[in-house]
Coordinates of all heavy atoms in Angstrom, one line a residue:
M214 N -2.9 36.7 -57.4 CA -2.1 37.5 -58.2 C -2.1 36.9 -59.7 O -2.2 37.7 -60.6 CB -0.7 37.5 -57.7 CG 0.3 38.3 -58.5 SD 0.1 40.0 -58.2 CE 1.5 40.6 -59.0
E215 N -2.0 35.6 -59.8 CA -2.1 35.0 -61.1 C -3.4 35.2 -61.8 O -3.4 35.4 -63.0 CB -1.8 33.5 -61.0 CG -1.6 32.8 -62.3 CD -1.2 31.4 -62.1 OE1 -0.4 31.0 -61.1 OE2 -1.6 30.6 -62.9
A216 N -4.5 35.2 -61.1 CA -5.8 35.4 -61.7 C -5.9 36.9 -62.2 O -6.5 37.1 -63.3 CB -6.9 35.2 -60.6
E217 N -5.3 37.8 -61.5 CA -5.3 39.2 -62.0 C -4.5 39.3 -63.3 O -4.9 40.0 -64.3 CB -4.8 40.2 -61.0 CG -5.7 40.5 -59.9 CD -5.7 39.4 -58.8 OE1 -4.8 38.5 -58.8 OE2 -6.7 39.3 -58.0
V218 N -3.4 38.6 -63.4 CA -2.5 38.6 -64.6 C -3.3 38.0 -65.7 O -3.3 38.5 -66.9 CB -1.2 37.9 -64.4 CG1 -0.4 37.7 -65.7 CG2 -0.4 38.6 -63.3
D219 N -4.0 36.9 -65.5 CA -4.8 36.3 -66.5 C -5.9 37.2 -67.0 O -6.2 37.3 -68.2 CB -5.5 35.0 -66.0 CG -4.4 33.9 -65.8 OD1 -3.3 34.0 -66.4 OD2 -4.7 32.9 -65.0
K220 N -6.6 37.9 -66.1 CA -7.6 38.9 -66.5 C -7.0 40.0 -67.4 O -7.6 40.4 -68.4 CB -8.3 39.5 -65.3 CG -9.2 38.5 -64.6 CD -9.8 39.2 -63.3 CE -10.6 38.2 -62.5 NZ -11.1 38.8 -61.3
L221 N -5.8 40.5 -67.0 CA -5.2 41.5 -67.8 C -4.8 41.0 -69.2 O -5.0 41.7 -70.2 CB -3.9 42.1 -67.1 CG -4.1 43.0 -66.0 CD1 -2.8 43.3 -65.3 CD2 -4.8 44.3 -66.4
E222 N -4.3 39.8 -69.3 CA -4.0 39.2 -70.6 C -5.3 39.0 -71.4 O -5.3 39.2 -72.6 CB -3.3 37.9 -70.4 CG -1.9 38.0 -69.9 CD -1.2 36.7 -69.6 OE1 -1.9 35.6 -69.9 OE2 -0.1 36.7 -69.2
L223 N -6.4 38.6 -70.8 CA -7.7 38.5 -71.5 C -8.1 39.8 -72.1 O -8.5 39.9 -73.3 CB -8.8 38.1 -70.6 CG -9.0 36.6 -70.4 CD1 -10.1 36.3 -69.4 CD2 -9.4 35.9 -71.7
M224 N -7.9 40.9 -71.4 CA -8.3 42.2 -71.9 C -7.5 42.7 -73.0 O -7.9 43.4 -73.9 CB -8.3 43.3 -70.7 CG -9.4 43.1 -69.7 SD -9.6 44.4 -68.6 CE -8.1 44.2 -67.6
K225 N -6.2 42.3 -73.1 CA -5.3 42.7 -74.1 C -5.5 41.9 -75.4 O -5.2 42.4 -76.5 CB -3.9 42.5 -73.7 CG -3.5 43.5 -72.6 CD -2.0 43.2 -72.2 CE -1.6 44.1 -71.1 NZ -0.3 43.9 -70.6
N226 N -6.1 40.7 -75.3 CA -6.3 39.9 -76.5 C -7.8 39.8 -76.8 O -8.5 39.0 -76.2 CB -5.7 38.5 -76.2 CG -5.7 37.6 -77.4 OD1 -6.4 37.9 -78.4 ND2 -5.0 36.5 -77.4
P227 N -8.3 40.5 -77.9 CA -9.7 40.6 -78.2 C -10.2 39.2 -78.6 O -11.4 38.9 -78.3 CB -9.8 41.5 -79.3 CG -8.5 42.2 -79.4 CD -7.5 41.4 -78.7
V228 N -9.4 38.4 -79.3 CA -9.9 37.1 -79.7 C -10.2 36.2 -78.5 O -11.3 35.6 -78.4 CB -8.9 36.4 -80.6 CG1 -9.3 35.0 -80.9 CG2 -8.7 37.2 -81.9
T229 N -9.3 36.2 -77.5 CA -9.5 35.5 -76.3 C -10.7 36.0 -75.5 O -11.5 35.2 -75.0 CB -8.3 35.5 -75.4 OG1 -7.1 35.1 -76.1 CG2 -8.4 34.7 -74.2
L230 N -10.9 37.3 -75.5 CA -12.0 37.9 -74.9 C -13.3 37.5 -75.5 O -14.3 37.2 -74.8 CB -11.9 39.5 -74.9 CG -12.9 40.3 -74.1 CD1 -12.9 39.9 -72.7 CD2 -12.6 41.7 -74.3
L231 N -13.4 37.5 -76.8 CA -14.6 37.0 -77.5 C -14.9 35.6 -77.2 O -16.1 35.2 -77.1 CB -14.4 37.3 -79.0 CG -14.5 38.7 -79.5 CD1 -14.2 38.8 -81.0 CD2 -15.9 39.3 -79.2
K232 N -13.9 34.8 -77.2 CA -14.1 33.3 -76.8 C -14.6 33.2 -75.4 O -15.5 32.4 -75.2 CB -12.8 32.5 -77.0 CG -12.3 32.3 -78.4 CD -11.0 31.5 -78.4 CE -10.5 31.4 -79.9 NZ -9.2 30.7 -79.9
E233 N -14.1 34.0 -74.5 CA -14.6 34.0 -73.1 C -16.0 34.4 -73.1 O -16.8 33.8 -72.4 CB -13.7 34.8 -72.3 CG -13.8 34.6 -70.8 CD -13.4 33.2 -70.3 OE1 -12.5 32.6 -71.0 OE2 -14.0 32.8 -69.4
L234 N -16.4 35.5 -73.8 CA -17.7 36.0 -73.8 C -18.7 34.9 -74.4 O -19.8 34.8 -73.9 CB -17.8 37.3 -74.6 CG -17.3 38.5 -73.9 CD1 -17.3 39.7 -74.9 CD2 -18.1 38.9 -72.7
S235 N -18.2 34.2 -75.4 CA -19.0 33.2 -76.0 C -19.3 32.1 -75.0 O -20.4 31.5 -74.9 CB -18.3 32.6 -77.3 OG -19.1 31.6 -77.8
A236 N -18.3 31.7 -74.2 CA -18.5 30.7 -73.2 C -19.4 31.1 -72.1 O -20.3 30.3 -71.7 CB -17.1 30.3 -72.6
I237 N -19.3 32.4 -71.7 CA -20.2 32.9 -70.7 C -21.6 32.9 -71.2 O -22.6 32.6 -70.5 CB -19.8 34.3 -70.3 CG1 -18.4 34.2 -69.5 CG2 -20.8 35.0 -69.4 CD1 -17.8 35.6 -69.3
K238 N -21.8 33.3 -72.5 CA -23.2 33.4 -73.1 C -23.8 32.0 -73.1 O -24.9 31.8 -72.8 CB -23.1 34.0 -74.5 CG -24.4 34.0 -75.2 CD -24.3 34.6 -76.6 CE -25.7 34.6 -77.2 NZ -25.6 35.1 -78.6
S239 N -23.0 31.0 -73.5 CA -23.4 29.6 -73.6 C -23.8 29.1 -72.2 O -24.9 28.5 -72.0 CB -22.3 28.7 -74.1 OG -22.7 27.4 -74.1
R240 N -23.0 29.4 -71.2 CA -23.3 29.0 -69.8 C -24.6 29.7 -69.3 O -25.5 29.0 -68.7 CB -22.2 29.4 -68.9 CG -22.4 29.1 -67.4 CD -22.2 27.6 -67.2 NE -22.3 27.4 -65.7 CZ -22.9 26.4 -65.2 NH1 -23.5 25.5 -65.9 NH2 -23.0 26.3 -63.9
Y241 N -24.8 31.0 -69.7 CA -26.0 31.7 -69.3 C -27.3 31.0 -69.9 O -28.3 30.8 -69.3 CB -26.0 33.1 -69.7 CG -27.3 33.8 -69.6 CD1 -27.8 34.3 -68.3 CD2 -28.1 34.0 -70.7 CE1 -29.0 34.9 -68.2 CE2 -29.4 34.6 -70.6 CZ -29.8 35.1 -69.3 OH -31.0 35.7 -69.2
Q242 N -27.1 30.7 -71.2 CA -28.3 30.1 -71.9 C -28.6 28.7 -71.3 O -29.8 28.4 -71.2 CB -28.0 30.0 -73.4 CG -28.0 31.3 -74.1 CD -27.4 31.2 -75.6 OE1 -26.7 30.3 -75.9 NE2 -27.9 32.2 -76.4
T243 N -27.6 28.0 -71.0 CA -27.8 26.7 -70.3 C -28.5 26.8 -69.0 O -29.5 26.1 -68.7 CB -26.5 25.9 -70.1 OG1 -25.8 25.8 -71.4 CG2 -26.7 24.6 -69.5
L244 N -28.1 27.7 -68.2 CA -28.7 28.0 -66.9 C -30.1 28.5 -67.0 O -31.0 28.1 -66.3 CB -27.9 29.0 -66.1 CG -26.6 28.4 -65.5 CD1 -25.7 29.5 -64.9 CD2 -26.8 27.3 -64.5
H245 N -30.3 29.4 -68.0 CA -31.6 30.0 -68.2 C -32.6 28.8 -68.7 O -33.7 28.8 -68.1 CB -31.6 31.0 -69.3 CG -32.9 31.7 -69.6 ND1 -33.5 32.5 -68.8 CD2 -33.7 31.5 -70.7 CE1 -34.7 32.9 -69.3 NE2 -34.8 32.3 -70.4
A246 N -32.2 28.0 -69.6 CA -33.0 26.9 -70.0 C -33.4 25.9 -68.9 O -34.5 25.4 -68.8 CB -32.4 26.1 -71.2
R247 N -32.4 25.8 -68.0 CA -32.6 24.8 -66.9 C -33.5 25.4 -65.8 O -34.3 24.7 -65.2 CB -31.2 24.6 -66.2 CG -31.2 23.6 -65.1 CD -29.8 23.3 -64.7 NE -29.8 22.5 -63.5 CZ -28.7 22.3 -62.8 NH1 -27.6 22.8 -63.2 NH2 -28.8 21.6 -61.7
F248 N -33.5 26.7 -65.6 CA -34.2 27.3 -64.5 C -35.5 27.9 -64.9 O -36.4 28.2 -64.1 CB -33.4 28.3 -63.7 CG -32.3 27.6 -62.9 CD1 -31.0 27.7 -63.2 CD2 -32.6 26.9 -61.7 CE1 -30.0 27.0 -62.5 CE2 -31.7 26.3 -60.9 CZ -30.4 26.3 -61.3
K249 N -35.8 28.1 -66.2 CA -37.0 28.7 -66.6 C -38.2 27.9 -66.2 O -39.2 28.5 -65.7 CB -37.0 29.0 -68.1 CG -38.2 29.7 -68.6 CD -38.1 30.1 -70.0 CE -39.4 30.9 -70.4 NZ -39.4 31.2 -71.8
P250 N -38.2 26.6 -66.4 CA -39.4 25.8 -66.0 C -39.6 25.9 -64.4 O -40.8 25.9 -64.0 CB -39.0 24.4 -66.3 CG -38.0 24.5 -67.4 CD -37.2 25.7 -67.1
I251 N -38.6 26.1 -63.7 CA -38.7 26.2 -62.2 C -39.4 27.5 -61.9 O -40.3 27.6 -61.1 CB -37.4 26.1 -61.5 CG1 -36.8 24.7 -61.7 CG2 -37.5 26.4 -60.0 CD1 -35.4 24.5 -61.3
A252 N -39.0 28.6 -62.6 CA -39.6 29.9 -62.4 C -41.1 29.9 -62.8 O -41.9 30.5 -62.1 CB -38.8 31.0 -63.2
V253 N -41.4 29.2 -63.9 CA -42.8 29.2 -64.3 C -43.6 28.4 -63.3 O -44.7 28.9 -62.9 CB -42.9 28.5 -65.7 CG1 -44.3 28.2 -66.0 CG2 -42.3 29.4 -66.8
E254 N -43.1 27.3 -62.8 CA -43.8 26.5 -61.8 C -44.0 27.3 -60.5 O -45.0 27.2 -59.9 CB -43.1 25.2 -61.5 CG -43.7 24.3 -60.5 CD -45.1 23.8 -61.0 OE1 -45.3 23.6 -62.2 OE2 -46.0 23.5 -60.1
H255 N -43.0 28.0 -60.1 CA -43.0 28.9 -58.9 C -44.1 29.9 -59.0 O -44.9 30.1 -58.1 CB -41.7 29.6 -58.7 CG -41.6 30.4 -57.5 ND1 -41.6 31.8 -57.6 CD2 -41.5 30.1 -56.2 CE1 -41.6 32.3 -56.3 NE2 -41.5 31.3 -55.5
K256 N -44.2 30.6 -60.2 CA -45.2 31.6 -60.4 C -46.6 30.9 -60.4 O -47.6 31.5 -59.8 CB -45.0 32.3 -61.7 CG -45.9 33.4 -62.0 CD -45.6 34.2 -63.2 CE -46.5 35.3 -63.4 NZ -46.2 36.1 -64.6
E257 N -46.8 29.8 -61.0 CA -48.1 29.1 -61.0 C -48.5 28.7 -59.6 O -49.7 28.8 -59.2 CB -48.0 27.9 -62.0 CG -48.0 28.3 -63.4 CD -47.7 27.1 -64.3 OE1 -47.6 25.9 -63.8 OE2 -47.7 27.3 -65.6
T258 N -47.5 28.2 -58.9 CA -47.8 27.8 -57.5 C -48.3 28.9 -56.6 O -49.2 28.9 -55.9 CB -46.6 27.1 -56.9 OG1 -46.3 25.9 -57.7 CG2 -46.8 26.6 -55.5
K259 N -47.6 30.1 -56.8 CA -48.0 31.3 -56.0 C -49.4 31.7 -56.4 O -50.2 32.1 -55.5 CB -47.0 32.4 -56.3 CG -45.6 32.2 -55.5 CD -44.6 33.3 -55.9 CE -45.1 34.7 -55.6 NZ -44.0 35.7 -55.9
S260 N -49.7 31.6 -57.7 CA -51.0 32.0 -58.1 C -52.1 31.1 -57.5 O -53.2 31.5 -57.1 CB -51.1 31.9 -59.7 OG -50.3 32.9 -60.2
R261 N -51.8 29.8 -57.5 CA -52.8 28.8 -56.9 C -52.9 29.1 -55.4 O -54.1 29.0 -54.9 CB -52.3 27.4 -57.2 CG -52.5 26.9 -58.6 CD -52.4 25.4 -58.8 NE -51.0 24.9 -58.4 CZ -50.0 24.8 -59.3 NH1 -50.2 25.2 -60.6 NH2 -48.9 24.4 -58.9
I262 N -51.9 29.4 -54.7 CA -51.9 29.6 -53.3 C -52.8 30.9 -53.1 O -53.6 30.9 -52.2 CB -50.5 29.8 -52.7 CG1 -49.8 28.5 -52.6 CG2 -50.6 30.4 -51.3 CD1 -48.3 28.5 -52.3
C263 N -52.6 31.9 -53.9 CA -53.3 33.2 -53.8 C -54.8 32.9 -54.0 O -55.7 33.4 -53.3 CB -52.8 34.2 -54.7 SG -53.5 35.8 -54.6
A264 N -55.1 32.1 -55.0 CA -56.5 31.8 -55.4 C -57.2 31.1 -54.2 O -58.3 31.4 -53.8 CB -56.6 31.1 -56.7
T265 N -56.5 30.1 -53.7 CA -57.0 29.3 -52.6 C -57.2 30.2 -51.4 O -58.3 30.0 -50.7 CB -56.0 28.1 -52.3 OG1 -55.9 27.3 -53.4 CG2 -56.6 27.3 -51.1
F266 N -56.3 31.0 -51.1 CA -56.4 31.9 -50.0 C -57.6 32.8 -50.1 O -58.4 33.0 -49.2 CB -55.2 32.8 -49.8 CG -55.3 33.8 -48.7 CD1 -55.1 33.5 -47.4 CD2 -55.5 35.1 -49.0 CE1 -55.2 34.4 -46.4 CE2 -55.6 36.1 -48.0 CZ -55.5 35.7 -46.7
N267 N -57.8 33.4 -51.3 CA -59.0 34.3 -51.6 C -60.3 33.5 -51.4 O -61.2 34.1 -50.8 CB -58.9 34.9 -52.9 CG -57.8 36.0 -53.0 OD1 -57.5 36.6 -52.0 ND2 -57.2 36.2 -54.2
K268 N -60.3 32.3 -51.9 CA -61.5 31.5 -51.8 C -61.8 31.2 -50.3 O -63.0 31.3 -49.8 CB -61.4 30.2 -52.5 CG -61.5 30.4 -54.0 CD -61.3 29.0 -54.7 CE -61.3 29.2 -56.2 NZ -61.0 27.9 -56.9
T269 N -60.8 30.9 -49.6 CA -60.9 30.6 -48.1 C -61.4 31.8 -47.4 O -62.4 31.7 -46.5 CB -59.6 30.2 -47.5 OG1 -59.1 29.0 -48.2 CG2 -59.7 29.8 -46.1
M270 N -60.9 33.0 -47.7 CA -61.3 34.2 -47.0 C -62.8 34.5 -47.4 O -63.6 34.9 -46.5 CB -60.5 35.4 -47.4 CG -59.0 35.3 -46.9 SD -58.9 35.1 -45.1 CE -59.6 36.7 -44.6
T271 N -63.2 34.3 -48.6 CA -64.6 34.5 -49.0 C -65.5 33.6 -48.3 O -66.6 34.0 -47.8 CB -64.8 34.3 -50.5 OG1 -63.9 35.3 -51.2 CG2 -66.2 34.5 -51.0
L272 N -65.1 32.3 -48.1 CA -65.9 31.3 -47.4 C -66.0 31.7 -46.0 O -67.1 31.6 -45.4 CB -65.2 29.9 -47.6 CG -65.9 28.8 -46.9 CD1 -67.3 28.6 -47.5 CD2 -65.1 27.5 -47.0
I273 N -65.0 32.1 -45.4 CA -65.0 32.6 -44.0 C -66.0 33.7 -43.8 O -66.8 33.7 -42.8 CB -63.6 32.9 -43.4 CG1 -62.8 31.7 -43.3 CG2 -63.7 33.7 -42.1 CD1 -61.3 31.9 -43.0
Q274 N -65.9 34.7 -44.7 CA -66.8 35.8 -44.6 C -68.3 35.4 -44.7 O -69.1 35.9 -44.0 CB -66.4 36.9 -45.6 CG -65.1 37.6 -45.3 CD -64.6 38.4 -46.5 OE1 -65.2 38.4 -47.6 NE2 -63.5 39.2 -46.2
E275 N -68.5 34.5 -45.6 CA -69.9 34.0 -45.8 C -70.4 33.3 -44.6 O -71.5 33.4 -44.2 CB -70.0 33.1 -47.1 CG -69.9 33.8 -48.4 CD -71.0 34.9 -48.5 OE1 -72.2 34.6 -48.2 OE2 -70.7 36.0 -49.0
L276 N -69.5 32.5 -44.0 CA -69.9 31.7 -42.8 C -70.1 32.7 -41.6 O -71.1 32.5 -40.8 CB -68.8 30.8 -42.4 CG -68.7 29.5 -43.3 CD1 -67.4 28.7 -42.9 CD2 -69.9 28.6 -43.1
Q277 N -69.4 33.8 -41.6 CA -69.6 34.8 -40.5 C -70.9 35.4 -40.7 O -71.7 35.7 -39.7 CB -68.5 35.8 -40.5 CG -67.1 35.3 -40.0 CD -66.0 36.3 -40.3 OE1 -66.2 37.3 -41.0 NE2 -64.9 36.1 -39.6
K278 N -71.3 35.7 -41.9 CA -72.6 36.4 -42.2 C -73.7 35.4 -41.8 O -74.7 35.8 -41.2 CB -72.7 36.8 -43.7 CG -71.9 38.0 -44.0 CD -72.0 38.2 -45.5 CE -71.1 39.3 -46.0 NZ -71.1 39.5 -47.5
Q279 N -73.6 34.2 -42.2 CA -74.7 33.2 -42.0 C -74.9 32.9 -40.5 O -76.0 32.6 -40.1 CB -74.4 31.9 -42.8 CG -74.5 32.0 -44.3 CD -74.1 30.8 -45.0 OE1 -73.9 29.7 -44.4 NE2 -74.0 30.9 -46.3
T280 N -73.8 32.9 -39.8 CA -73.9 32.6 -38.3 C -74.0 33.8 -37.5 O -74.1 33.7 -36.3 CB -72.7 31.7 -37.9 OG1 -71.5 32.5 -38.1 CG2 -72.6 30.4 -38.6
D281 N -73.9 35.0 -38.1 CA -73.9 36.2 -37.4 C -72.8 36.3 -36.3 O -73.0 36.7 -35.2 CB -75.3 36.5 -36.7 CG -75.5 37.9 -36.4 OD1 -75.0 38.8 -37.1 OD2 -76.3 38.2 -35.4
L282 N -71.7 35.8 -36.7 CA -70.5 35.7 -35.8 C -69.8 37.0 -35.7 O -69.5 37.7 -36.7 CB -69.6 34.6 -36.3 CG -68.3 34.4 -35.5 CD1 -68.7 33.8 -34.1 CD2 -67.4 33.4 -36.2
K283 N -69.6 37.5 -34.5 CA -68.8 38.7 -34.3 C -67.4 38.3 -33.9 O -67.2 37.5 -33.0 CB -69.4 39.5 -33.2 CG -70.9 39.9 -33.4 CD -71.0 40.9 -34.6 CE -72.4 41.3 -34.7 NZ -72.8 41.5 -36.1
L284 N -66.4 38.9 -34.6 CA -65.0 38.6 -34.3 C -64.4 39.7 -33.4 O -64.8 40.9 -33.5 CB -64.2 38.5 -35.6 CG -64.6 37.4 -36.5 CD1 -63.7 37.4 -37.8 CD2 -64.4 36.0 -35.8
L285 N -63.4 39.3 -32.6 CA -62.7 40.2 -31.8 C -61.7 41.0 -32.8 O -61.3 40.4 -33.8 CB -61.9 39.5 -30.8 CG -62.7 38.8 -29.7 CD1 -61.8 38.0 -28.8 CD2 -63.6 39.8 -28.9
P286 N -61.3 42.2 -32.4 CA -60.4 42.9 -33.3 C -59.0 42.1 -33.3 O -58.7 41.4 -32.4 CB -60.2 44.2 -32.5 CG -61.3 44.4 -31.6 CD -61.8 43.0 -31.3
L287 N -58.3 42.3 -34.4 CA -57.0 41.6 -34.6 C -56.0 42.2 -33.6 O -56.0 43.3 -33.3 CB -56.5 41.8 -36.0 CG -57.3 41.3 -37.1 CD1 -56.7 41.6 -38.5 CD2 -57.4 39.8 -37.0
T288 N -55.1 41.3 -33.2 CA -54.0 41.7 -32.3 C -53.0 42.4 -33.2 O -53.1 42.3 -34.4 CB -53.4 40.5 -31.6 OG1 -52.8 39.6 -32.7 CG2 -54.3 39.7 -30.8
E289 N -52.0 43.0 -32.6 CA -51.0 43.7 -33.4 C -50.2 42.7 -34.3 O -49.9 43.0 -35.4 CB -50.0 44.5 -32.5 CG -50.6 45.7 -31.9 CD -51.1 46.7 -32.9 OE1 -50.3 46.9 -33.9 OE2 -52.2 47.2 -32.8
E290 N -50.0 41.5 -33.7 CA -49.2 40.5 -34.4 C -50.1 40.0 -35.6 O -49.5 39.8 -36.7 CB -49.0 39.3 -33.5 CG -48.1 38.2 -34.1 CD -47.8 37.1 -33.2 OE1 -48.3 37.1 -32.0 OE2 -47.2 36.1 -33.6
E291 N -51.4 39.9 -35.4 CA -52.2 39.4 -36.5 C -52.3 40.5 -37.6 O -52.3 40.2 -38.8 CB -53.6 39.1 -36.0 CG -53.7 37.8 -35.2 CD -55.0 37.6 -34.4 OE1 -55.6 38.7 -34.1 OE2 -55.3 36.5 -34.2
K292 N -52.4 41.8 -37.2 CA -52.4 42.9 -38.1 C -51.1 42.9 -39.0 O -51.1 43.1 -40.2 CB -52.5 44.2 -37.4 CG -53.9 44.5 -36.9 CD -53.9 45.8 -36.1 CE -55.3 46.0 -35.4 NZ -55.3 47.3 -34.6
T293 N -50.0 42.7 -38.3 CA -48.7 42.7 -39.0 C -48.7 41.5 -40.0 O -48.2 41.7 -41.2 CB -47.5 42.5 -38.0 OG1 -47.6 43.6 -37.1 CG2 -46.2 42.5 -38.7
A294 N -49.1 40.4 -39.6 CA -49.1 39.2 -40.5 C -50.0 39.4 -41.7 O -49.7 39.1 -42.8 CB -49.6 38.0 -39.7
A295 N -51.2 40.1 -41.5 CA -52.1 40.4 -42.6 C -51.5 41.4 -43.5 O -51.6 41.2 -44.8 CB -53.4 40.9 -42.0
E296 N -50.8 42.4 -43.0 CA -50.2 43.3 -43.9 C -49.1 42.7 -44.8 O -49.0 43.0 -45.9 CB -49.6 44.5 -43.1 CG -50.6 45.4 -42.5 CD -50.0 46.4 -41.5 OE1 -48.8 46.5 -41.4 OE2 -50.8 47.0 -40.8
Q297 N -48.3 41.8 -44.1 CA -47.2 41.1 -44.9 C -47.8 40.2 -45.9 O -47.3 40.1 -47.1 CB -46.4 40.3 -43.9 CG -45.5 41.2 -43.0 CD -44.8 40.3 -41.9 OE1 -45.1 39.2 -41.7 NE2 -43.8 41.0 -41.3
L298 N -48.9 39.5 -45.6 CA -49.6 38.7 -46.6 C -50.1 39.5 -47.8 O -49.9 39.1 -48.9 CB -50.7 37.9 -45.9 CG -51.4 36.8 -46.8 CD1 -50.4 35.8 -47.3 CD2 -52.5 36.1 -46.0
R299 N -50.7 40.6 -47.5 CA -51.2 41.5 -48.6 C -50.1 41.9 -49.5 O -50.2 42.0 -50.7 CB -52.0 42.7 -48.0 CG -53.4 42.3 -47.5 CD -54.2 43.6 -47.2 NE -55.2 43.3 -46.2 CZ -55.1 43.5 -44.9 NH1 -54.1 44.0 -44.4 NH2 -56.1 43.1 -44.1
A300 N -49.0 42.3 -48.8 CA -47.8 42.8 -49.6 C -47.3 41.7 -50.5 O -47.0 41.9 -51.7 CB -46.7 43.3 -48.7
H301 N -47.2 40.5 -50.0 CA -46.7 39.3 -50.8 C -47.7 39.0 -52.0 O -47.3 38.7 -53.1 CB -46.5 38.1 -50.0 CG -45.3 38.2 -49.1 ND1 -44.0 38.3 -49.7 CD2 -45.1 38.2 -47.8 CE1 -43.1 38.4 -48.7 NE2 -43.8 38.4 -47.6
M302 N -49.0 39.1 -51.7 CA -50.0 38.8 -52.7 C -50.1 39.8 -53.8 O -50.3 39.5 -54.9 CB -51.4 38.6 -52.0 CG -51.4 37.4 -51.2 SD -53.0 37.2 -50.3 CE -54.1 37.0 -51.6
S303 N -49.7 41.1 -53.4 CA -49.7 42.1 -54.5 C -48.6 41.9 -55.4 O -48.6 42.5 -56.5 CB -49.6 43.5 -53.8 OG -48.4 43.7 -53.2
D304 N -47.5 41.2 -55.1 CA -46.4 40.9 -55.9 C -46.8 39.9 -57.1 O -46.1 39.8 -58.1 CB -45.2 40.3 -55.2 CG -44.6 41.3 -54.2 OD1 -44.8 42.5 -54.4 OD2 -43.9 40.8 -53.3
L305 N -47.9 39.2 -56.9 CA -48.3 38.3 -57.9 C -48.9 39.0 -59.0 O -49.3 39.2 -59.9 CB -49.4 37.3 -57.4 CG -48.9 36.4 -56.2 CD1 -50.0 35.6 -55.7 CD2 -47.8 35.5 -56.7

């Protein structure tokens, strides 16, 4: 109940509201600065994983051609996993 009263008082006092907005903006900027490097590293890591995966798939296909290896069709579980992987990779 007290929190609601405080919120109502904030809305009635524009100066207090502006101070509160300034504090929120400052907090956002601090969090953004803190987490931006993490987001960049996450994106770079996903890109490296995707590149490694693509190289691995190319290598496997080349080995299959060279050895004339015939593969069995994928199981339903393998098909589902492949579809999920493709969906995640398209997000990059």
Side-chain angles (χ1 to χ4, degrees):
M214 178 80 172
E215 190 174 323
E217 285 80 16
V218 172
D219 289 341
K220 288 179 185 177
L221 285 173
E222 288 176 3
L223 270 177
M224 288 190 289
K225 291 179 183 176
N226 187 343
V228 173
T229 306
L230 186 59
L231 287 174
K232 287 179 183 176
E233 195 66 29
L234 285 173
S235 178
I237 291 169
K238 181 180 177 182
S239 176
R240 178 77 175 138
Y241 169 80
Q242 289 172 335
T243 301
L244 288 172
H245 180 74
R247 185 173 170 195
F248 289 105
K249 186 175 181 180
I251 295 170
V253 169
E254 182 65 29
H255 181 256
K256 186 175 181 178
E257 289 172 358
T258 300
K259 283 174 63 176
S260 293
R261 286 192 298 269
I262 290 169
C263 185
T265 302
F266 175 78
N267 287 333
K268 287 178 186 176
T269 302
M270 292 305 294
T271 301
L272 180 61
I273 289 170
Q274 290 169 353
E275 287 301 316
L276 287 171
Q277 287 172 345
K278 288 178 187 175
Q279 290 176 8
T280 59
D281 199 30
L282 181 64
K283 303 291 184 216
L284 295 179
L285 297 174
L287 295 176
T288 65
E289 287 302 314
E290 184 179 1
E291 290 169 333
K292 287 178 187 176
T293 302
E296 288 171 10
Q297 289 173 348
L298 185 57
R299 280 190 206 99
H301 287 296
M302 290 176 63
S303 68
D304 292 340
L305 297 176

